[in-house]
């Protein structure tokens, strides 16, 4: 009995899930990719162990986007109240992700965010 085509069939996987060239180099400012994780939209473009589907959040009040997950890290941008932020990872008190409207990538204190619909 022949195998039916399926998303896990080797021929299908080779055509749709294979990298077709070198991974995109990460732009730390606008490309949501780290050594261990990338935004799901970058699957097939960047090779990392894990891809994340963004969890939509928004800033409860004015807050800052930082370069590292600590209060003393450089400020990348100030986010206005209501700014949408796509959370890709949460570790401790910090969320790593991407600002929806301009694509900036960094860390926001999780206490400063709320779930968005």
């Amino acid at each position: 009995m022949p195998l039916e085509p399926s998303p896990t069939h080797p021929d299908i996987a080779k055509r749709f899930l294979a990298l077709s060239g070198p991974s995109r180099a990460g732009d730390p400012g606008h490309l949501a990719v780290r050594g261990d994780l990338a935004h799901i939209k970058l699957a097939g473009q960047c090779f990392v162990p894990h891809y994340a589907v963004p969890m939509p959040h928004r800033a409860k009040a004015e807050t800052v986007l930082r370069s590292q997950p600590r209060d003393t890290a450089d400020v990348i941008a100030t986010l206005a109240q209501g700014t949408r932020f796509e959370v890709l990872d949460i570790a401790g008190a910090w969320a790593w992700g991407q600002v929806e409207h301009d694509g900036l990538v960094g860390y926001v204190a999780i206490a400063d965010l709320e779930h968005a619909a």
Side-chain angles (χ1 to χ4, degrees):
M1 177 178 205
L3 288 174
E4 304 245 347
S6 75
T8 58
H9 190 273
D11 292 336
I12 303 289
K14 283 180 189 173
R15 276 189 284 155
F16 294 106
L17 302 177
L19 288 170
S20 59
S23 287
R24 286 175 62 179
D27 171 2
H30 288 88
L31 194 59
V33 62
R34 306 186 310 206
D36 64 331
L37 182 69
H39 193 296
I40 191 69
K41 70 183 176 185
L42 298 174
Q45 299 174 43
C46 297
F47 182 72
V48 294
H50 306 282
Y51 298 93
V53 174
M55 298 173 283
H57 284 70
R58 65 176 162 250
K60 291 185 205 177
E62 184 175 275
T63 189
V64 293
L65 180 71
R66 296 189 179 274
S67 61
Q68 297 292 319
R70 59 180 181 269
D71 291 324
T72 57
D74 293 339
V75 173
I76 297 170
T78 300
L79 307 181
Q81 180 180 0
T83 300
R84 292 181 64 88
F85 185 73
E86 296 182 332
V87 174
L88 298 169
D89 188 31
I90 297 172
W94 295 93
W96 177 73
Q98 190 166 30
V99 179
E100 190 174 89
H101 73 276
D102 64 9
L104 285 173
V105 175
Y107 294 85
V108 175
I110 195 70
D112 294 343
L113 298 172
E114 61 188 5
H115 290 280

